Amino acid sequence: MAIIRTKRTKNFTVLNNDLIRDSRLSFKARGLLQYMLSMPDDWKFYVSELAKHSSKEGESAIRSGIEELEKLGYMRRIQNRDKSGKFGAVDWEVLDEPVFSPHVEKPQADKPNAEKPLADNRPLLRTNSTKNLKYKETIDDDDSLQADLDAQMECHRNIQPIIENYELNFGQSTQTERSQLMDEYRDWYEEGVPKKDILAVFNNVIEKAAIYRAKAPAKYSVGILKGYLRNKIWTVEAIEGEDRQFEAKKQHRQNSRNYNNSYTNRSNEVEWYE
């Protein structure tokens, strides 16, 4: 077999052969990584958007490719916090050398990898902008931070069906809308509400926002969800029970008003006697 290469002077990407030939990765993951590395440093990506650029792989295949890359250290998540210290959006960094992986054993402190220093690897893409965040924490070996990161990663994965349902009802979501929903999901997660109930309740509220044509659907949904969480209304069944009580009280008030109006009208009638 002959390999013929065309001389390139523009519109090309330089990659390390070790990356291209890393047999631990599937060809799907290698292709996905090379595609992402060909993008600008500040490029933003979403699973749904990546799937649009492939006629073969759907969103499920893209997610599995990302999981491969993350597991082997070609992708990593950077946890951000806002001014109040609350978890914010998660940034992705894509690397052309596998420097860090949260899923592999931590290297011994007395055996640093001098050939692959972290400082030399610039982030090649980010999913979320961090211009407005003054406090940014990178992943380190601290156990508590790792636990927080693991929880954030789980929330990030679990909320994807909710985001997809939101976009099905309201179109492409903004970063602000996704952050609002993500923060609220984390609150429910930390409260210990089961994943299946969180998913069902969030989708129930999103569909209500669509029915009522909320002008700011994410803000509207989060407002309702906060009330449910505060009042421990954590299942769709509990919501339906709450709705029935609300309708019953509403009907009772309406009946009371109708009765009072009827009584007032009768008292104002003039009786004539012969």
Side-chain angles (χ1 to χ4, degrees):
M1 179 187 295
I3 298 176
I4 301 174
R5 294 182 175 86
T6 302
K7 185 177 181 180
R8 300 289 183 186
T9 59
K10 60 180 181 179
N11 195 28
F12 66 95
T13 302
V14 177
L15 296 174
N16 190 328
N17 282 336
D18 290 341
L19 176 156
I20 299 172
R21 298 169 184 168
D22 190 342
S23 60
R24 298 174 301 168
L25 293 171
S26 67
F27 282 111
K28 172 185 67 179
R30 280 182 254 185
L32 179 61
L33 179 58
Q34 291 171 55
Y35 176 80
M36 292 189 290
L37 288 173
S38 72
M39 295 299 178
D41 289 357
D42 59 352
W43 185 62
K44 300 178 182 179
F45 84 89
Y46 308 100
V47 171
S48 58
E49 182 64 23
L50 286 170
K52 292 179 182 178
H53 294 278
S54 173
S55 61
K56 303 296 183 183
E57 288 83 15
E59 293 186 15
S60 178
I62 297 296
R63 287 196 184 94
S64 68
I66 289 175
E67 288 177 2
E68 278 190 64
L69 296 172
E70 186 181 10
K71 183 176 181 180
L72 293 175
Y74 286 100
M75 294 183 69
R76 66 177 181 177
R77 306 182 192 220
I78 301 297
Q79 177 63 68
N80 299 297
R81 294 179 186 267
D82 58 21
K83 293 180 181 180
S84 65
K86 188 175 182 179
F87 283 108
V90 174
D91 272 1
W92 278 104
E93 286 187 349
V94 175
L95 307 161
D96 58 2
E97 291 184 343
V99 175
F100 175 88
S101 173
H103 299 286
V104 298
E105 293 182 1
K106 299 174 183 177
Q108 296 296 323
D110 58 347
K111 294 181 180 180
N113 188 346
E115 295 180 357
K116 299 177 182 179
L118 178 61
D120 290 340
N121 292 279
R122 299 174 59 214
L124 295 178
L125 71 95
R126 303 170 186 271
T127 56
N128 303 318
S129 173
T130 56
K131 290 182 179 179
N132 298 323
L133 296 176
K134 294 183 179 179
Y135 299 94
K136 180 176 180 179
E137 295 184 6
T138 56
I139 303 170
D140 57 22
D141 289 334
D142 181 78
D143 290 339
S144 61
L145 180 57
Q146 185 63 52
D148 286 339
L149 179 60
D150 289 343
Q152 183 75 1
M153 290 167 61
E154 182 176 353
C155 290
H156 181 81
R157 286 191 295 267
N158 293 344
I159 200 175
Q160 293 310 312
I162 295 172
I163 297 298
E164 290 169 5
N165 185 37
Y166 182 89
E167 293 183 341
L168 182 64
N169 283 281
F170 302 107
Q172 182 65 44
S173 59
T174 66
Q175 177 57 42
T176 298
E177 291 171 328
R178 288 191 295 275
S179 294
Q180 289 173 334
L181 292 170
M182 182 64 192
D183 287 346
E184 187 60 25
Y185 188 101
R186 182 64 186 264
D187 289 343
W188 282 66
Y189 173 87
E190 291 180 345
E191 193 67 35
V193 182
K195 172 186 171 182
K196 64 180 183 62
D197 290 328
I198 300 178
L199 179 64
V201 170
F202 271 59
N203 284 334
N204 178 279
V205 171
I206 287 170
E207 287 160 12
K208 282 183 178 178
I211 292 172
Y212 295 122
R213 299 182 181 181
K215 293 183 179 180
K219 184 177 181 181
Y220 172 91
S221 299
V222 167
I224 294 177
L225 289 165
K226 285 186 181 300
Y228 285 163
L229 183 63
R230 183 172 58 251
N231 294 301
K232 301 186 183 303
I233 304 171
W234 295 346
T235 65
V236 172
E237 291 76 12
I239 292 174
E240 291 173 350
E242 189 74 11
D243 289 345
R244 286 192 295 270
Q245 290 184 25
F246 175 80
E247 289 298 326
K249 291 178 180 178
K250 181 179 177 181
Q251 186 62 47
H252 177 73
R253 288 195 298 270
Q254 183 63 44
N255 292 340
S256 296
R257 283 196 293 269
N258 292 340
Y259 174 81
N260 291 334
N261 290 338
S262 176
Y263 179 81
T264 300
N265 291 336
R266 286 199 306 272
S267 64
N268 290 334
E269 290 178 356
V270 178
E271 295 184 358
W272 295 91
Y273 298 94
E274 292 183 357

